[in-house]
Amino acid sequence: MFGLFNKRKSKDLLNFSLLGADMHSHLIPGIDDGAKDLDTALHLVSKLEQLGFRKLITTPHVMADYYRNTPATIQKGLDVLREALHKNNIKVELEAAAEYYVDETFLSKLHRKEVLGFGKNYLLFEFSFLNAPVNLVEVLFEMQNAGFVPVLAHPERYAYFHGNIEDYHQLIDYGCLFQLNTLSLGGYYGKQVKKMAEELVDKNYISFLGTDVHHHRHADALKLALKSSHVQQLLAKGLLNEQL
């Protein structure tokens, strides 16, 4: 009996079925730098389904200078994609939130309640890869004051945090959760990002694991990332993304 259970569990670790849900992707066609058209979106969703995902919460970029998405435009795109999934008999559950870039318009959107969270009032956000935000503590406070739990997208990719694990610890102390990109553990973004991602996993700092899929190359690389011992460690833990 136990031998059969171990075999089943080992098989599950070859895909993402133990994770079940993904909460970071760019699948709605034509509204950011993700899926460029409906055919691409359908291919990406099918690929994620084959990799074991049963639920996808797609998160288009919201950035003042580039992607001026609103809850209304995101919902419209979600409806189109859901209809296409139904017509093509793709049975993955699909929801939408957003990935908010902390720019000069973010707090005003937050105060006007023009933001889309996911799960139990989680709000996914990111900031510049080049310059550390000067008002991060204020932003975290404002998100929590608005009733959201801040979730920082791909913390391992901000190079100015590398080499000082205390910066990450401090963010957690301020109430921020971390969403790790699966591809980081597979080395997709380079050795330094992979090293930082592994350290964050070893410190038990990760609350969510996300694909951050934008295009075919990302989807193809996810299968390779499954070979990472740290990805296997997170999947075997069986706690991430369960509340979604």
Side-chain angles (χ1 to χ4, degrees):
M1 176 179 176
F2 293 105
L4 290 175
F5 174 79
N6 289 334
K7 288 179 181 178
R8 182 181 65 80
K9 187 173 182 180
S10 176
K11 182 179 179 181
D12 288 343
L13 289 174
L14 296 176
N15 58 37
F16 292 96
S17 58
L18 289 178
L19 189 65
D22 179 50
M23 42 63 65
H24 186 178
S25 63
H26 300 267
L27 302 172
I28 295 177
I31 66 173
D32 65 1
D33 60 343
K36 62 181 180 178
D37 52 40
L38 192 55
D39 285 343
T40 302
L42 289 172
H43 175 86
L44 292 176
V45 174
S46 295
K47 194 80 170 181
L48 291 170
E49 182 184 34
Q50 293 166 20
L51 287 168
F53 289 104
R54 298 180 296 277
K55 179 177 181 178
L56 305 173
I57 303 174
T58 192
T59 51
H61 288 291
V62 178
M63 304 172 70
D65 293 335
Y66 296 99
Y67 310 114
R68 299 178 181 178
N69 289 309
T70 66
T73 62
I74 292 170
Q75 184 61 52
K76 182 179 180 181
L78 176 65
D79 291 343
V80 170
L81 184 52
R82 277 178 170 169
E83 182 179 357
L85 294 178
H86 178 73
K87 288 181 178 178
N88 286 272
N89 199 33
I90 301 172
K91 300 185 181 300
V92 174
E93 183 181 354
L94 186 67
E95 295 181 4
E99 181 182 11
Y100 291 93
Y101 186 81
V102 177
D103 55 28
E104 67 278 6
T105 68
F106 173 69
L107 288 181
S108 63
K109 292 186 183 79
L110 182 68
H111 295 155
R112 295 195 306 267
K113 302 185 183 303
E114 295 177 358
V115 293
L116 286 177
F118 68 96
K120 299 177 181 179
N121 286 335
Y122 299 108
L123 193 63
L124 187 67
F125 73 102
E126 64 174 342
F127 38 77
S128 170
F129 287 121
L130 300 177
N131 302 300
V134 295
N135 63 335
L136 181 53
V137 174
E138 176 193 356
V139 169
L140 294 176
F141 173 79
E142 293 291 344
M143 279 191 271
Q144 292 172 83
N145 195 46
F148 291 100
V149 179
V151 179
L152 178 60
H154 38 65
E156 73 282 2
R157 296 186 63 193
Y158 304 106
Y160 42 78
F161 285 155
H162 293 182
N164 190 359
I165 197 67
E166 285 302 314
D167 286 343
Y168 292 102
H169 185 80
Q170 189 173 22
L171 289 176
I172 291 173
D173 283 346
Y174 280 122
C176 184
L177 302 182
F178 292 157
Q179 173 264 306
L180 189 77
N181 277 12
T182 309
L183 294 176
S184 295
L185 291 171
Y188 187 90
Y189 307 104
K191 293 181 180 179
Q192 287 301 115
V193 172
K194 180 181 180 182
K195 180 181 178 182
M196 191 70 253
E198 291 174 345
E199 186 172 358
L200 292 173
V201 173
D202 292 339
K203 290 285 186 180
N204 200 31
Y205 283 178
I206 302 304
S207 295
F208 296 100
L209 190 62
T211 65
D212 200 6
V213 161
H214 286 66
H215 44 66
H216 299 310
R217 295 190 305 278
H218 284 166
D220 292 340
L222 280 172
K223 194 165 187 178
L224 296 176
L226 279 166
K227 297 179 181 180
S228 161
S229 61
H230 283 78
V231 170
Q232 295 295 313
Q233 178 183 332
L234 289 172
L235 295 179
K237 185 179 178 182
L239 298 176
L240 297 175
N241 299 17
E242 68 175 355
Q243 61 269 62
L244 304 179

mmCIF file of all heavy atoms in Angstrom, residues 127-147:
data_model
loop_
_atom_site.group_PDB
_atom_site.id
_atom_site.type_symbol
_atom_site.label_atom_id
_atom_site.label_comp_id
_atom_site.label_asym_id
_atom_site.label_seq_id
_atom_site.Cartn_x
_atom_site.Cartn_y
_atom_site.Cartn_z
ATOM 1 N N PHE A 127 8.120 46.095 -8.843
ATOM 2 C CA PHE A 127 8.707 47.419 -9.038
ATOM 3 C C PHE A 127 9.917 47.308 -9.947
ATOM 4 O O PHE A 127 10.173 46.237 -10.509
ATOM 5 C CB PHE A 127 9.031 48.114 -7.706
ATOM 6 C CG PHE A 127 9.558 47.212 -6.626
ATOM 7 C CD1 PHE A 127 10.862 46.767 -6.632
ATOM 8 C CD2 PHE A 127 8.746 46.830 -5.571
ATOM 9 C CE1 PHE A 127 11.350 45.962 -5.634
ATOM 10 C CE2 PHE A 127 9.229 46.012 -4.554
ATOM 11 C CZ PHE A 127 10.539 45.575 -4.589
ATOM 12 N N SER A 128 10.635 48.379 -10.109
ATOM 13 C CA SER A 128 11.732 48.444 -11.067
ATOM 14 C C SER A 128 12.808 47.402 -10.774
ATOM 15 O O SER A 128 13.170 47.179 -9.617
ATOM 16 C CB SER A 128 12.356 49.844 -11.030
ATOM 17 O OG SER A 128 13.552 49.872 -11.780
ATOM 18 N N PHE A 129 13.330 46.795 -11.846
ATOM 19 C CA PHE A 129 14.466 45.887 -11.698
ATOM 20 C C PHE A 129 15.781 46.661 -11.557
ATOM 21 O O PHE A 129 16.798 46.082 -11.178
ATOM 22 C CB PHE A 129 14.570 44.953 -12.914
ATOM 23 C CG PHE A 129 13.512 43.893 -12.948
ATOM 24 C CD1 PHE A 129 12.640 43.803 -14.025
ATOM 25 C CD2 PHE A 129 13.379 42.980 -11.920
ATOM 26 C CE1 PHE A 129 11.663 42.825 -14.070
ATOM 27 C CE2 PHE A 129 12.402 41.988 -11.952
ATOM 28 C CZ PHE A 129 11.538 41.913 -13.028
ATOM 29 N N LEU A 130 15.748 47.956 -11.861
ATOM 30 C CA LEU A 130 16.981 48.748 -11.887
ATOM 31 C C LEU A 130 17.208 49.550 -10.613
ATOM 32 O O LEU A 130 18.351 49.678 -10.153
ATOM 33 C CB LEU A 130 16.959 49.697 -13.094
ATOM 34 C CG LEU A 130 16.846 49.033 -14.471
ATOM 35 C CD1 LEU A 130 16.754 50.099 -15.550
ATOM 36 C CD2 LEU A 130 18.026 48.105 -14.712
ATOM 37 N N ASN A 131 16.134 50.109 -10.059
ATOM 38 C CA ASN A 131 16.279 51.005 -8.906
ATOM 39 C C ASN A 131 15.348 50.589 -7.787
ATOM 40 O O ASN A 131 14.144 50.383 -8.011
ATOM 41 C CB ASN A 131 15.963 52.450 -9.315
ATOM 42 C CG ASN A 131 16.857 52.931 -10.443
ATOM 43 O OD1 ASN A 131 18.070 52.976 -10.315
ATOM 44 N ND2 ASN A 131 16.233 53.284 -11.574
ATOM 45 N N ALA A 132 15.888 50.512 -6.591
ATOM 46 C CA ALA A 132 15.074 50.150 -5.432
ATOM 47 C C ALA A 132 14.046 51.240 -5.151
ATOM 48 O O ALA A 132 14.354 52.432 -5.249
ATOM 49 C CB ALA A 132 15.966 49.949 -4.209
ATOM 50 N N PRO A 133 12.826 50.853 -4.839
ATOM 51 C CA PRO A 133 11.788 51.858 -4.562
ATOM 52 C C PRO A 133 12.077 52.603 -3.261
ATOM 53 O O PRO A 133 12.476 52.007 -2.260
ATOM 54 C CB PRO A 133 10.509 51.015 -4.441
ATOM 55 C CG PRO A 133 10.997 49.664 -4.024
ATOM 56 C CD PRO A 133 12.323 49.477 -4.695
ATOM 57 N N VAL A 134 11.858 53.896 -3.273
ATOM 58 C CA VAL A 134 12.173 54.705 -2.086
ATOM 59 C C VAL A 134 11.009 54.721 -1.102
ATOM 60 O O VAL A 134 11.187 55.033 0.073
ATOM 61 C CB VAL A 134 12.532 56.153 -2.486
ATOM 62 C CG1 VAL A 134 13.808 56.165 -3.308
ATOM 63 C CG2 VAL A 134 11.379 56.809 -3.261
ATOM 64 N N ASN A 135 9.800 54.381 -1.581
ATOM 65 C CA ASN A 135 8.625 54.456 -0.720
ATOM 66 C C ASN A 135 7.996 53.093 -0.464
ATOM 67 O O ASN A 135 6.777 52.987 -0.275
ATOM 68 C CB ASN A 135 7.582 55.391 -1.336
ATOM 69 C CG ASN A 135 7.070 54.872 -2.683
ATOM 70 O OD1 ASN A 135 7.768 54.115 -3.371
ATOM 71 N ND2 ASN A 135 5.865 55.275 -3.056
ATOM 72 N N LEU A 136 8.799 52.042 -0.455
ATOM 73 C CA LEU A 136 8.256 50.689 -0.370
ATOM 74 C C LEU A 136 7.483 50.459 0.922
ATOM 75 O O LEU A 136 6.407 49.853 0.911
ATOM 76 C CB LEU A 136 9.383 49.665 -0.508
ATOM 77 C CG LEU A 136 8.963 48.191 -0.463
ATOM 78 C CD1 LEU A 136 7.862 47.897 -1.476
ATOM 79 C CD2 LEU A 136 10.166 47.291 -0.702
ATOM 80 N N VAL A 137 7.996 50.931 2.035
ATOM 81 C CA VAL A 137 7.310 50.726 3.317
ATOM 82 C C VAL A 137 5.939 51.398 3.289
ATOM 83 O O VAL A 137 4.936 50.832 3.742
ATOM 84 C CB VAL A 137 8.164 51.261 4.478
ATOM 85 C CG1 VAL A 137 7.376 51.189 5.791
ATOM 86 C CG2 VAL A 137 9.457 50.463 4.606
ATOM 87 N N GLU A 138 5.877 52.611 2.731
ATOM 88 C CA GLU A 138 4.605 53.314 2.616
ATOM 89 C C GLU A 138 3.629 52.531 1.749
ATOM 90 O O GLU A 138 2.435 52.404 2.079
ATOM 91 C CB GLU A 138 4.814 54.703 2.017
ATOM 92 C CG GLU A 138 3.512 55.469 1.785
ATOM 93 C CD GLU A 138 3.689 56.697 0.903
ATOM 94 O OE1 GLU A 138 4.838 57.007 0.538
ATOM 95 O OE2 GLU A 138 2.669 57.326 0.575
ATOM 96 N N VAL A 139 4.123 51.998 0.641
ATOM 97 C CA VAL A 139 3.273 51.239 -0.274
ATOM 98 C C VAL A 139 2.716 49.994 0.415
ATOM 99 O O VAL A 139 1.519 49.680 0.293
ATOM 100 C CB VAL A 139 4.058 50.862 -1.545
ATOM 101 C CG1 VAL A 139 3.277 49.841 -2.384
ATOM 102 C CG2 VAL A 139 4.349 52.098 -2.382
ATOM 103 N N LEU A 140 3.558 49.291 1.149
ATOM 104 C CA LEU A 140 3.105 48.103 1.874
ATOM 105 C C LEU A 140 2.032 48.471 2.892
ATOM 106 O O LEU A 140 1.013 47.775 3.024
ATOM 107 C CB LEU A 140 4.283 47.420 2.577
ATOM 108 C CG LEU A 140 5.350 46.799 1.680
ATOM 109 C CD1 LEU A 140 6.490 46.241 2.519
ATOM 110 C CD2 LEU A 140 4.755 45.701 0.804
ATOM 111 N N PHE A 141 2.248 49.566 3.604
ATOM 112 C CA PHE A 141 1.274 50.017 4.587
ATOM 113 C C PHE A 141 -0.050 50.366 3.927
ATOM 114 O O PHE A 141 -1.132 49.992 4.415
ATOM 115 C CB PHE A 141 1.819 51.242 5.341
ATOM 116 C CG PHE A 141 0.811 51.874 6.258
ATOM 117 C CD1 PHE A 141 0.539 51.325 7.508
ATOM 118 C CD2 PHE A 141 0.111 53.007 5.861
ATOM 119 C CE1 PHE A 141 -0.410 51.902 8.346
ATOM 120 C CE2 PHE A 141 -0.838 53.588 6.701
ATOM 121 C CZ PHE A 141 -1.094 53.032 7.944
ATOM 122 N N GLU A 142 -0.003 51.073 2.802
ATOM 123 C CA GLU A 142 -1.224 51.491 2.121
ATOM 124 C C GLU A 142 -2.012 50.294 1.585
ATOM 125 O O GLU A 142 -3.251 50.277 1.624
ATOM 126 C CB GLU A 142 -0.898 52.461 0.984
ATOM 127 C CG GLU A 142 -0.359 53.808 1.438
ATOM 128 C CD GLU A 142 -1.400 54.655 2.151
ATOM 129 O OE1 GLU A 142 -2.608 54.345 2.042
ATOM 130 O OE2 GLU A 142 -0.999 55.632 2.824
ATOM 131 N N MET A 143 -1.308 49.283 1.076
ATOM 132 C CA MET A 143 -1.990 48.082 0.599
ATOM 133 C C MET A 143 -2.712 47.382 1.738
ATOM 134 O O MET A 143 -3.868 46.958 1.611
ATOM 135 C CB MET A 143 -1.000 47.138 -0.090
ATOM 136 C CG MET A 143 -0.679 47.506 -1.520
ATOM 137 S SD MET A 143 0.225 46.210 -2.397
ATOM 138 C CE MET A 143 1.906 46.679 -1.998
ATOM 139 N N GLN A 144 -2.026 47.258 2.868
ATOM 140 C CA GLN A 144 -2.640 46.596 4.017
ATOM 141 C C GLN A 144 -3.782 47.426 4.578
ATOM 142 O O GLN A 144 -4.816 46.891 4.991
ATOM 143 C CB GLN A 144 -1.572 46.332 5.076
ATOM 144 C CG GLN A 144 -0.564 45.275 4.616
ATOM 145 C CD GLN A 144 0.612 45.130 5.554
ATOM 146 O OE1 GLN A 144 0.541 44.429 6.555
ATOM 147 N NE2 GLN A 144 1.711 45.820 5.237
ATOM 148 N N ASN A 145 -3.634 48.728 4.580
ATOM 149 C CA ASN A 145 -4.691 49.613 5.063
ATOM 150 C C ASN A 145 -5.934 49.528 4.185
ATOM 151 O O ASN A 145 -7.065 49.741 4.654
ATOM 152 C CB ASN A 145 -4.182 51.057 5.107
ATOM 153 C CG ASN A 145 -5.081 51.973 5.920
ATOM 154 O OD1 ASN A 145 -5.505 51.627 7.016
ATOM 155 N ND2 ASN A 145 -5.372 53.150 5.388
ATOM 156 N N ALA A 146 -5.720 49.199 2.895
ATOM 157 C CA ALA A 146 -6.838 49.041 1.962
ATOM 158 C C ALA A 146 -7.456 47.643 2.035
ATOM 159 O O ALA A 146 -8.400 47.342 1.291
ATOM 160 C CB ALA A 146 -6.367 49.322 0.534
ATOM 161 N N GLY A 147 -6.928 46.802 2.906
ATOM 162 C CA GLY A 147 -7.504 45.481 3.104
ATOM 163 C C GLY A 147 -6.847 44.363 2.332
ATOM 164 O O GLY A 147 -7.372 43.239 2.283
#
